[in-house]
Amino acid sequence: MTPLVEMRDISIAFGGIKAVDHVSIDLYPGEVVGLLGHNGAGKSTLIKCLSGAYRADAGEIYIDGQKVDIRNTRDARALNIETIYQTLALADNLDAASNLFLGRELVTPSGLLDESRMEAETRRIMARLNPNFRKFADPVMALSGGQRQSVAIARAVYFNARILIMDEPTAALGPQETQMVAELIQELKRQGLGIFLIEHDIHAVMKLCDRAVVMKNGQRVGTVRVDEVTDDDILGMIIMGKKPAQAA
Amino acid sequence: MHMSDLSPAAPPRRNWLQQLEIDLRLLGMIGAFALVCLCFWIVTDGRFLSARNIFNLTIQTVSVAIMATGMVFIIVCRHIDLSVGAILALASAMMGMMQARWLPGIFGLELGHPLIAPLTMVTGLLVGTAIGALNGWLVGYQRIPAFIVTLGGLLIWRYVGWYLTAGQTIAPLDQTFLLFGGAEGTLGVTTSWIVGGLASIAALWVIYGARRRKQSHGFPVRPIWAEGAVMALVVGLIMGFVAILNSYELPQAKLKRIFEARGEVMPEGYTQGYGLPISVLILILVAVAMTVIARRTRFGRYIFATGGNPDAAELSGINTRLLTVKIFALMGFLCGLSAIIAQARLQSHPNDIGTLDELRVIAAAVIGGTALSGGIGTIYGAILGALIMQSLQSGMAMVGADAPLQNIVVGVVLVLAVWIDIQYRRRLGMR
C-alpha cells in the first residue's frame, strides 16, 4: 500500500542550529501516528514543513506517492492537509463561522461574503461535532476552551481533510473535553483520515495511536508500533534517545 | 462538550431593546452625541441646533470623518498612521499647483476649462494613494513599525508640498472644483428630497434583504413590530436630516447676486434652501462603501482577522504584507479625497491645511470605539466620533470658550470615551 504521506530525509536549520536533521516519517490512511519528544526535539518544526508554515532546507515530501512542493499553508490546504495548532490559531474577535471559513470564505455571486450560508454550514457541522454548541453570534474570545477547540477541529474537518495534523489537541482541555477529542479522533480514523498527533502525554499516545515516532535533538530516535512496546520503553526512548532492544 | 451547556435549547426571553437588535455601543454613542447637542442647545438658546449650525457642523466634519473611516482599518490592523494630515497637505499642494499654475501655464488649458477640475482631483487621489502605498510597503514588506514610517511621513510630506508651492498660499481655485467644498456646492431642495427618497428605499431594501436571507436559512429574525420600528427609524432619520438641510435658506443678499449675475430680477418673497451639500453626500457614500468593505468583503474580513490574531491570519493563507499595503493605500486615497474637500471649503491651498488632522482623525476613530489593541472598530463609530469632536469644538466656540479650553475639553472627552469603552467590554467579558 502506498503511504498517504511520506516525508523523506527532511532537514531544517535556524541560524546554524539543526532543528530537524535528516528525519523520515510516513503515515497510512486510517492511521494515527504519534510524534513524541521533549520540547525542542523538533517534532513541531518537522510537522510545520508538512502544514506549510515552514519550508524544509532539504528533503522530499510525497503525498499518495506523488512528490509535492509545499511552499505555504495554501499549498498544504490544496492537498487536503489540515492543521489544528496548539494555539488553535483563531481570530478571537471574530465569530465561529468567520473563523471556520477564514481564508476560504463563501461568497455570493456578486463577490460579497455570504454570511448566512457560512453560518448555516457552521451550524450543520457543529451539530455533528459538538451538538451543545450555541454561541454562533459571539466572538470566539467569549467561548470556553473546549468550545474553541471544537471550532478549530470543525475548521479542519469541514474542508474534507485527508491528512490531519493535531498539535497537542488536548493540552488545554478538561477530562470530559479530552474524551470528546479522543472519540473524534477514533471517528475520523474510521473515515480513513491519516492523523499526525503531536503529544507530550505518553498515555494519550498509547491509547490513540497506532505507531509512535520519538524525536530527540532534531533526530528521529525510532518508530515503534504502540502495541509492541510499553510506556516505559517509549519513556526510555524520549529520555535516553535509544530504541528498546526488543522492538528493533 | 460542556456539562453546563446541556441546558435545553429554548431561547431566553428578550426585552424590547434586545428584540430591536440595535447595537448597544451605537446606542451609547448616539446617546453621548445627543447629550452634547442638548447641553449646547440649552446654553446657546437653541442656536446650536439651528438648521444653519447643523449645516455648518456637517460640512466641517466631512474631511476628518472621511479619513477616520480609513484610520479604523489601520488601527484595527494594529497599525497607526500619523502622516494623514501631511499627505492631505501634499495632495492639496499638488492640486493647488495643478489647477492654478500647471494646467493653465504648462498645458495651456485656459481658466474655467471643464477638464481642470477632474484632472486636478485625479492628481490628488493618485498622490494620496501612492504615498499611502509607499507607507504600506515600508510597514508590510520592510517591517518598519508604522509609528516610525508615518512619523517620518508627518515631517516629510507637508514640507515637500511646501517646496512645491514655494510656501505660498494658492488661490483662486477652479469654479467647478469649489463645488466640493460644502456651501458652494449643494444639491438644492428638490434633488435633496429625491436623494433622500432613494436612500430610504435602498435602506429598506437592505433591511428586508437581510431578513429574507436569515429566514431562508431558518435563523431567528426580529419580530415584525421591531422590524417595522427599525425601518421607520431609519427612514425618519434620513428624511429628517434632508428636511433640516433643506430648511436652511441661502441669505437674501447672496440670492440677489445670483439673479443679478444671470441678468434677472429676483421675484419678491423668493427663497431657496441649500439642501444636501455634495461633500456630505461624498462622506455618506464613503461611509456606505467602507461599511460594505468591512463587513461583506474578504478584504475587510482579513483586516479584522489580522487585527484579532496576526498569526492565525497568516496560517490561514492570508497575505498580511500585501494586506498592509492595501490598507495604507486606501488610507492615502481617502486623504486625497479629504484634501479635495478641505481645499475647496477653504477656497485656497494654505500651507497649514490639515495641520493636526492626524490627531483629530485618530481621536475620532478611538472615540468611536476603535481599539488600539486591534481587531475591533466600526465605520459608523468613527464618523460619530468625528461628529462628537466637531460638535464639542463648534459648540464651545459658540458659547465663547477660547481655543485652549476647547482643546482641554476634547482631550478629556477622548480619555473618557476610551475609559467607558474599556468598562463596557469588561462587562461583556471581553479583553
Side-chain angles (χ1 to χ4, degrees):
Chain A
M1 191 156 92
T2 330
L4 190 55
V5 181
E6 208 184 342
M7 298 178 78
R8 277 190 211 157
D9 235 10
I10 302 287
S11 293
I12 182 166
F14 297 111
I17 296 167
K18 287 183 174 169
V20 176
D21 192 6
H22 296 286
V23 174
S24 300
I25 55 172
D26 55 7
L27 176 72
Y28 287 86
E31 188 187 36
V32 182
V33 171
L35 283 168
L36 283 151
H38 285 302
N39 288 330
K43 50 195 195 309
S44 282
T45 310
L46 172 66
I47 217 69
K48 278 182 176 166
C49 297
L50 183 62
S51 67
Y54 293 148
R55 274 193 92 171
D57 298 330
E60 287 140 20
I61 299 174
Y62 296 84
I63 307 287
D64 296 324
Q66 300 286 317
K67 193 175 172 203
V68 294
D69 184 18
I70 301 173
R71 286 160 304 178
N72 51 45
T73 52
R74 257 179 222 275
D75 288 350
R77 285 174 160 197
L79 292 162
N80 296 90
I81 302 169
E82 293 288 337
T83 310
I84 298 166
Y85 296 94
Q86 192 175 3
T87 52
L88 299 183
L90 299 175
D92 279 335
N93 54 334
L94 302 181
D95 61 16
S98 306
N99 270 292
L100 204 158
F101 287 96
L102 191 57
R104 293 179 283 203
E105 289 76 8
L106 302 178
V107 291
T108 61
S110 52
L112 297 176
L113 297 179
D114 196 339
E115 302 265 25
S116 312
R117 199 150 61 90
M118 286 194 273
E119 190 182 330
E121 290 293 304
T122 306
R123 283 173 186 270
R124 208 168 52 82
I125 189 156
M126 284 311 226
R128 209 177 92 207
L129 293 179
N130 183 4
N132 299 315
F133 192 92
R134 298 262 181 282
K135 295 185 165 176
F136 291 100
D138 292 308
V140 296
M141 74 176 84
L143 306 185
S144 71
Q147 289 168 333
R148 290 164 58 87
Q149 185 73 49
S150 55
V151 173
I153 293 174
R155 176 163 64 178
V157 174
Y158 177 82
F159 294 95
N160 302 319
R162 294 180 60 221
I163 301 149
L164 194 58
I165 299 165
M166 300 174 106
D167 192 350
E168 297 202 43
T170 57
L173 302 186
Q176 229 155 18
E177 295 166 334
T178 303
Q179 181 58 31
M180 193 217 80
V181 172
E183 280 165 20
L184 187 74
I185 289 175
Q186 294 298 336
E187 168 62 27
L188 296 173
K189 195 178 132 137
R190 266 195 296 280
Q191 292 176 14
L193 274 77
I195 300 174
F196 277 122
L197 191 64
I198 299 175
E199 263 296 351
H200 268 116
D201 180 4
I202 294 176
H203 299 293
V205 172
M206 294 303 278
K207 201 174 120 203
L208 295 170
C209 299
D210 301 296
R211 286 187 296 151
V213 176
V214 178
M215 291 185 67
K216 189 177 166 73
N217 299 332
Q219 292 176 323
R220 192 185 68 168
V221 177
T223 307
V224 292
R225 300 206 66 83
V226 295
D227 48 12
E228 292 171 359
V229 292
T230 62
D231 291 19
D232 287 342
D233 290 337
I234 291 184
L235 197 60
M237 289 170 76
I238 295 172
I239 296 171
M240 314 289 287
K242 281 192 196 122
K243 244 184 135 172
Q246 74 270 28
Chain B
M1 192 184 292
H2 246 276
M3 287 305 275
S4 56
D5 289 348
L6 291 173
S7 53
R13 257 197 85 67
R14 306 188 303 170
N15 65 31
W16 64 273
L17 201 62
Q18 284 166 333
Q19 290 196 355
L20 281 169
E21 288 177 22
I22 292 178
D23 185 354
L24 269 182
R25 277 166 50 152
L26 172 62
L27 217 58
M29 261 183 281
I30 292 175
F33 179 54
L35 192 70
V36 169
C37 291
L38 192 71
C39 288
F40 283 125
W41 180 66
I42 293 168
V43 178
T44 59
D45 298 323
R47 268 186 305 142
F48 184 76
L49 288 183
S50 64
R52 178 195 154 123
N53 197 50
I54 289 174
F55 183 88
N56 285 330
L57 204 60
T58 52
I59 285 178
Q60 289 159 357
T61 308
V62 170
S63 164
V64 165
I66 285 178
M67 290 190 284
T69 64
M71 192 62 82
V72 170
F73 286 178
I74 301 255
I75 297 178
V76 162
C77 231
R78 304 191 180 186
H79 296 303
I80 195 80
D81 194 339
L82 298 173
S83 65
V84 294
I87 295 176
L88 181 144
L90 176 58
S92 171
M94 287 286 282
M95 290 191 296
M97 291 303 285
M98 199 77 182
Q99 59 188 307
R101 306 274 192 283
W102 298 335
L103 284 177
I106 301 173
F107 296 94
L109 299 181
E110 72 262 39
L111 289 174
H113 192 283
L115 272 179
I116 287 182
L119 286 175
T120 300
M121 291 193 289
V122 168
T123 307
L125 296 174
L126 282 179
V127 167
T129 311
I131 297 174
L134 175 65
N135 281 344
W137 180 76
L138 290 170
V139 175
Y141 286 89
Q142 302 306 311
R143 301 282 171 186
I144 310 173
F147 188 94
I148 302 302
V149 170
T150 58
L151 182 61
L154 167 72
L155 298 169
I156 296 167
W157 303 119
R158 175 176 302 279
Y159 300 102
V160 171
W162 196 90
Y163 278 110
L164 275 180
T165 62
Q168 289 172 334
T169 297
I170 309 285
L173 303 181
D174 179 76
Q175 286 302 310
T176 318
F177 185 87
L178 289 180
L179 293 179
F180 292 87
E184 295 306 312
T186 60
L187 297 181
V189 174
T190 317
T191 316
S192 297
W193 282 125
I194 293 171
V195 169
L198 290 176
S200 299
I201 291 168
L204 293 182
W205 187 71
V206 167
I207 295 173
Y208 174 71
R211 182 184 175 85
R212 251 197 18 197
R213 260 203 318 281
K214 280 188 178 181
Q215 276 176 330
S216 73
H217 289 283
F219 299 159
V221 292
R222 295 183 186 119
I224 292 288
W225 70 264
E227 204 78 70
V230 170
M231 286 180 167
L233 188 70
V234 168
V235 173
L237 282 175
I238 293 173
M239 294 316 255
F241 182 59
V242 172
I244 290 171
L245 295 181
N246 275 346
S247 71
Y248 178 38
E249 287 167 355
L250 274 78
Q252 287 289 315
K254 191 169 179 176
L255 276 177
K256 269 202 186 105
R257 273 205 306 279
I258 293 172
F259 273 90
E260 276 163 18
R262 277 191 257 154
E264 300 168 24
V265 179
M266 191 172 88
E268 198 62 36
Y270 179 87
T271 61
Q272 190 184 333
Y274 273 102
L276 195 61
I278 293 172
S279 64
V280 175
L281 187 63
I282 291 175
L283 170 62
I284 292 168
L285 293 177
V286 166
V288 170
M290 292 292 279
T291 304
V292 169
I293 289 174
R295 296 205 172 160
R296 296 294 308 277
T297 67
R298 285 210 165 113
F299 175 47
R301 177 59 49 82
Y302 294 166
I303 292 170
F304 280 82
T306 305
N309 187 345
D311 296 332
E314 194 97 47
L315 289 171
S316 300
I318 296 169
N319 186 345
T320 53
R321 297 176 174 209
L322 185 61
L323 190 75
T324 308
V325 176
K326 286 185 193 167
I327 296 167
F328 276 92
L330 178 59
M331 181 77 248
F333 172 85
L334 293 171
C335 291
L337 192 58
S338 282
I340 295 171
I341 289 163
Q343 186 185 57
R345 188 166 82 84
L346 297 172
Q347 306 197 349
S348 65
H349 162 76
N351 280 305
D352 65 344
I353 190 169
T355 302
L356 289 182
D357 264 10
E358 53 282 338
L359 301 184
R360 291 195 193 98
V361 167
I362 293 168
V366 170
I367 288 176
T370 310
L372 283 172
S373 51
I376 297 169
T378 56
I379 300 300
Y380 66 71
I383 293 172
L384 261 172
L387 206 53
I388 288 173
M389 275 203 316
Q390 189 59 47
S391 305
L392 281 172
Q393 250 165 357
S394 149
M396 281 188 293
M398 270 181 137
V399 176
D402 48 12
L405 183 61
Q406 291 179 23
N407 282 326
I408 290 172
V409 171
V410 171
V412 170
V413 167
L414 173 66
V415 177
L416 199 67
V418 173
W419 181 74
I420 291 171
D421 208 44
I422 289 171
Q423 297 303 316
Y424 172 78
R425 273 190 206 134
R426 203 169 283 168
R427 285 274 163 79
L428 284 187
M430 295 166 151
R431 62 183 130 161

